[in-house]
């Protein structure tokens, strides 16, 4: 008698997030019964004083806990960062797509680029995007999918490459960005526990960041081409009629088709010219808005700050807060300019009908964002992640290691902590006051300690569902997934990221140890050792 094969059981990502929510609530109840807690030292930025903070696991299965879970559901969803950035970005991006601008630009420019070079550019841009918070997740993931698709490649591989670039390279860029401004104050105040005159410049990690950007992009490209593309296979989109048969289109009038093609190419050329002119004007206006001191300029700067980098990337910077909207405006206006000149849109009604059709695919992502935002908020409220991070930070003080061995162990502890606490500032508040003085006493510069932290947290950014934008990656994988009976689950999404995790983690480890052992400069006048 032949054995029957058991049908492989898979859970939709939405179901998985619901189960994770239930699991966190039950786990918080169990851990609270045992009074699980941790105490960590944190530095007061205003006074420079070292303070002790006790954090305990909150029981979410209690009366107050369940009241919070229910009452804050709408707030958790509405305040979810992927929700607003994704919708704002896609309005402009979809206008550019539906008017034909992206396709025409691909045909004119991108299709001539070697596929591997295009992959490298996408990953490098994804890494560089972290200079302005999380805009790369919302903009480059859908854009990479379109670039791969229009280039005859699997869009799932483009989504994976862009997400990996932003997530695993999140802490680096070619220049000083918002992350530096957020972390450096804690690094400097923590260093002054040992040396009261210590000063950390914004460019302290500039050299190592530039080199790391290219190395991570190169390794990410190799992983994409050698492993991910082969794993995901070919992507062949088919159109089916009512009988479920593939349509075959025959061109009977070759002369008519040739004339039609020539006409379309002329319109595309005209449209691209219009889009180029409008795009240049928009860019000039945006640049003018971040130049201080000119008539009506500096609109996007926080002019209350004295340093330009703080004006541009500080917490109250209008440029940083409005960058997503600026990108949407750029794609939207250039797309409309192309559509009018290329005659792909005939009226405002035609434009918005196209936009309505294209945005209808967002339904599944919005539902996923709702449940993912609940999971992340509930986990944060439980304090489980904070207790884990505090425990890891305390371990650094009692480690009997020094030099390279200490660096490796610290990287592992930070990488594990990042799985549960993905916010850079939240973790650095816990780690800096312990890690910086400990490393300084062993001769390791605070600037290098900060870079070790940034690299270590990047290692696990792409493999934690607690990362707010992991759901955007998962959502787009399912939008372009051809097999609706087999959705891209959380488990499968993580398995696609595993080659990146392994390869890029080893690259980070190599960069850090090479810089430390050789003693290469981190930035102008700054070295790994004191």
């Amino acid at each position: 008698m032949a054995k029957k094969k058991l049908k492989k059981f898979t859970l939709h990502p939405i179901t998985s997030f619901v189960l994770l929510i239930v699991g966190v609530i039950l786990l918080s109840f169990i851990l609270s019964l045992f009074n699980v807690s941790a105490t960590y030292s944190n530095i007061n930025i205003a006074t420079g004083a070292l303070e002790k903070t006790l954090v305990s696991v909150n029981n979410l299965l209690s009366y107050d806990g369940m009241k919070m879970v229910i009452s804050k559901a709408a707030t958790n969803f509405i305040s979810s960062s992927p929700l607003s950035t994704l919708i704002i970005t896609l309005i402009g991006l979809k206008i550019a797509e539906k008017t034909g601008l992206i396709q025409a630009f691909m045909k004119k420019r991108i299709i001539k680029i070697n596929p591997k070079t295009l992959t490298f550019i996408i990953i490098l841009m994804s890494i560089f995007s972290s200079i302005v918070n999380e805009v790369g997740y919302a903009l480059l993931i859908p854009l990479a999918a379109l670039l791969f698709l229009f280039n005859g490649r699997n869009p799932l591989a483009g989504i994976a490459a862009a997400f990996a670039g932003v997530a695993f390279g999140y802490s680096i860029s070619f220049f000083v960005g918002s992350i530096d401004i957020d972390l450096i104050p804690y690094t400097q105040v923590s260093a002054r526990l040992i040396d009261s005159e210590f000063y950390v410049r914004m460019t302290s990690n500039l050299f190592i960041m530039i080199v790391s950007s290219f190395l991570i992009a190169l390794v990410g490209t190799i992983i994409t081409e050698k492993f991910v593309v082969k794993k995901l296979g070919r992507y062949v989109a088919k159109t089916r009629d009512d009988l479920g048969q593939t349509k075959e289109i025959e061109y009977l009038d070759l002369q008519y088709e040739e004339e039609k093609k020539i006409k379309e190419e002329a319109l595309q050329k005209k449209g691209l010219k219009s889009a180029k002119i409008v795009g240049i004007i928009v860019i000039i206006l945006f640049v003018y808005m971040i130049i201080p001191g000119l008539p009506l300029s500096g609109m996007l700067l926080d002019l209350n700050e004295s340093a330009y980098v703080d004006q541009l990337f500080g917490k109250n910077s209008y440029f940083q807060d409005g960058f997503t909207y600026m990108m949407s405006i750029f794609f939207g206006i250039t797309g409309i300019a192309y559509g009018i000149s290329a005659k792909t849109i005939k009226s405002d009604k035609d434009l918005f009908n196209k936009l309505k059709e294209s945005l209808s695919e967002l339904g599944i992502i919005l539902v996923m964002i709702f449940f993912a935002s609940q999971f992340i908020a509930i986990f944060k409220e439980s304090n489980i992640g904070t207790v884990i991070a505090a425990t890891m930070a305390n371990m650094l003080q009692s480690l009997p290691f020094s030099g390279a061995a200490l660096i490796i162990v610290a990287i592992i502890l930070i990488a594990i902590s990042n799985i549960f606490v993905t916010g850079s500032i939240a973790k650095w508040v816990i780690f800096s006051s312990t890690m910086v003085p400990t490393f300084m006493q062993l001769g390791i510069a605070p600037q290098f300690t900060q870079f070790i932290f940034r690299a270590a947290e990047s290692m696990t950014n792409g493999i934690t569902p607690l990362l707010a934008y992991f759901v955007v990656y998962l959502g787009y994988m399912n939008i372009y997934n051809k097999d609706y009976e087999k959705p891209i689950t959380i488990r499968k999404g993580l398995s696609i990221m595993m080659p990146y995790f392994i390869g890029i983690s080893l690259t980070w480890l190599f960069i850090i140890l090479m810089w430390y052992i050789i003693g290469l400069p981190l930035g102008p006048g700054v070295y790994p050792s004191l």
Side-chain angles (χ1 to χ4, degrees), residues 9 38 80 82 107 110 121 131 138 150 162 181 193 217 224 244 311 318 335 351 386 442 463 494:
F9 183 73
S80 174
K107 183 178 178 182
I110 306 298
I121 293 171
I131 194 172
F150 295 149
I181 293 174
L193 294 173
T224 302
Q311 293 177 354
Y318 298 99
L351 171 65
T386 307
L442 295 171
I463 58 168
L494 291 173

Side-chain angles (χ1 to χ4, degrees), residues 99-128:
T99 57
L101 172 60
I102 293 179
Q103 296 92 318
F105 183 75
M106 278 288 301
K107 183 178 178 182
K108 186 73 175 177
R109 303 291 182 187
I110 306 298
I111 203 168
K112 299 176 182 179
I113 299 176
N114 182 285
K116 294 179 181 178
T117 304
L118 180 61
T119 302
F120 177 81
I121 293 171
I122 288 173
I123 296 177
L124 190 63
M125 287 176 59
S126 300
I127 292 171
F128 181 67

Side-chain angles (χ1 to χ4, degrees), residues 255-463:
Q255 184 178 357
Y256 169 76
E257 291 299 329
E258 187 64 27
E259 291 175 355
K260 183 180 177 183
K261 183 180 178 182
I262 293 172
K263 185 178 179 180
E264 287 178 351
E265 287 179 348
L267 287 172
Q268 286 177 357
K269 186 176 180 179
K270 185 179 178 182
L272 285 172
K273 185 178 180 179
S274 298
K276 182 179 179 180
I277 293 171
V278 171
I280 291 173
I281 294 172
V282 172
I283 290 173
I284 291 173
L285 288 174
F286 285 160
V287 171
Y288 192 79
M289 291 179 185
I290 60 173
I291 298 175
L294 297 177
L296 300 177
S297 69
M299 183 186 300
L300 297 177
L301 299 176
D302 178 12
L303 298 178
N304 292 321
E305 297 287 346
S306 56
Y308 180 73
V309 69
D310 292 323
Q311 293 177 354
L312 193 62
F313 296 113
K315 292 181 180 180
N316 299 317
S317 164
Y318 298 99
F319 171 78
Q320 183 167 270
D321 293 339
F323 190 80
T324 302
Y325 187 47
M326 290 160 57
M327 288 294 96
S328 183
I329 290 174
F330 174 79
F331 281 106
I333 291 179
T334 53
I336 292 172
Y338 174 87
I340 293 173
S341 295
K343 298 183 179 181
T344 56
I345 52 174
K346 300 175 177 62
S347 65
D348 60 335
K349 294 184 287 294
D350 183 34
L351 171 65
F352 293 120
N353 282 332
K354 291 177 183 289
L355 188 61
K356 180 183 71 174
E357 293 171 4
S358 64
L359 291 178
S360 62
E361 65 188 16
L362 281 179
I364 187 64
I365 295 186
L366 294 180
V367 177
M368 288 175 65
I369 288 176
F370 173 79
F371 287 103
S373 64
Q374 306 310 314
F375 165 59
I376 293 169
I378 288 170
F379 186 84
K380 184 178 181 180
E381 187 69 25
S382 73
N383 281 338
I384 294 173
T386 307
V387 170
I388 293 172
T391 303
M392 296 291 179
N394 291 333
M395 289 177 63
L396 284 173
Q397 289 181 313
S398 57
L399 290 174
F401 303 117
S402 62
L406 176 63
I407 290 173
I408 292 172
V409 176
I411 288 171
I412 294 171
L413 294 176
I414 295 167
I416 293 172
S417 299
N418 187 68
I419 295 174
F420 305 100
V421 181
T422 57
S424 297
I425 300 176
K427 283 194 305 298
W428 196 226
V429 167
I430 296 172
F431 275 90
S432 60
S433 59
T434 299
M435 190 172 173
V436 172
T438 300
F439 277 47
M440 280 186 76
Q441 290 174 327
L442 295 171
I444 299 175
Q447 298 92 327
F448 191 49
T449 303
Q450 179 180 286
F451 183 80
I452 291 170
F453 170 81
R454 293 171 67 167
E457 69 165 352
S458 294
M459 289 181 182
T460 50
N461 254 352
I463 58 168

Side-chain angles (χ1 to χ4, degrees), residues 38-258:
T39 301
Y40 66 91
S41 300
N42 64 294
I43 201 81
N44 188 314
I45 293 294
T47 64
L50 197 62
E51 301 172 350
K52 291 287 185 179
T53 301
L54 173 66
V55 59
S56 304
V57 173
N58 289 331
N59 178 14
L60 299 181
L61 201 57
S62 63
Y63 175 82
D64 290 334
M66 292 308 299
K67 185 167 67 173
M68 184 281 301
V69 170
I70 296 170
S71 64
K72 290 188 176 180
T75 304
N76 294 337
F77 177 55
I78 295 171
S79 61
S80 174
S81 53
L83 177 64
S84 56
T85 53
L86 186 65
I87 293 176
I88 291 171
T89 302
L90 284 183
I91 290 174
L93 195 60
K94 286 299 181 180
I95 289 175
E97 178 192 353
K98 290 303 176 180
T99 57
L101 172 60
I102 293 179
Q103 296 92 318
F105 183 75
M106 278 288 301
K107 183 178 178 182
K108 186 73 175 177
R109 303 291 182 187
I110 306 298
I111 203 168
K112 299 176 182 179
I113 299 176
N114 182 285
K116 294 179 181 178
T117 304
L118 180 61
T119 302
F120 177 81
I121 293 171
I122 288 173
I123 296 177
L124 190 63
M125 287 176 59
S126 300
I127 292 171
F128 181 67
S129 70
S130 66
I131 194 172
V132 187
N133 290 334
E134 293 90 7
V135 66
Y137 292 113
L139 176 63
L140 292 173
I141 288 177
L143 185 59
L146 292 175
L147 291 176
F148 266 61
L149 182 63
F150 295 149
N151 208 25
R153 308 186 76 196
N154 194 331
L156 299 179
I159 293 169
F163 177 71
V166 182
F168 294 113
Y170 179 71
S171 290
I172 56 173
S173 63
F174 299 152
F175 188 62
V176 175
S178 57
I179 301 175
D180 300 272
I181 293 174
D182 291 336
L183 300 185
I184 284 177
Y186 293 96
T187 306
Q188 183 167 282
V189 177
S190 297
R192 288 180 178 178
L193 294 173
I194 303 297
D195 182 351
S196 60
E197 301 297 324
F198 202 90
Y199 179 73
V200 180
R201 292 196 299 271
M202 288 290 178
T203 57
S204 295
N205 290 154
L206 184 60
F207 297 163
I208 193 171
M209 285 197 301
I210 292 173
V211 174
S212 298
S213 298
F214 284 99
L215 284 178
I216 297 298
L218 179 61
V219 171
T221 301
I222 294 171
I223 292 169
T224 302
E225 299 297 333
K226 297 294 183 181
F227 298 98
V228 177
V229 169
K230 292 181 179 179
K231 181 177 182 178
L232 294 173
R234 295 184 62 192
Y235 187 90
V236 182
K238 294 182 178 181
T239 306
R240 296 185 178 275
D241 59 22
D242 295 336
L243 299 175
Q245 300 297 319
T246 302
K247 292 181 179 179
E248 295 182 1
I249 302 174
E250 296 181 2
Y251 296 101
L252 301 178
D253 192 342
L254 297 178
Q255 184 178 357
Y256 169 76
E257 291 299 329
E258 187 64 27

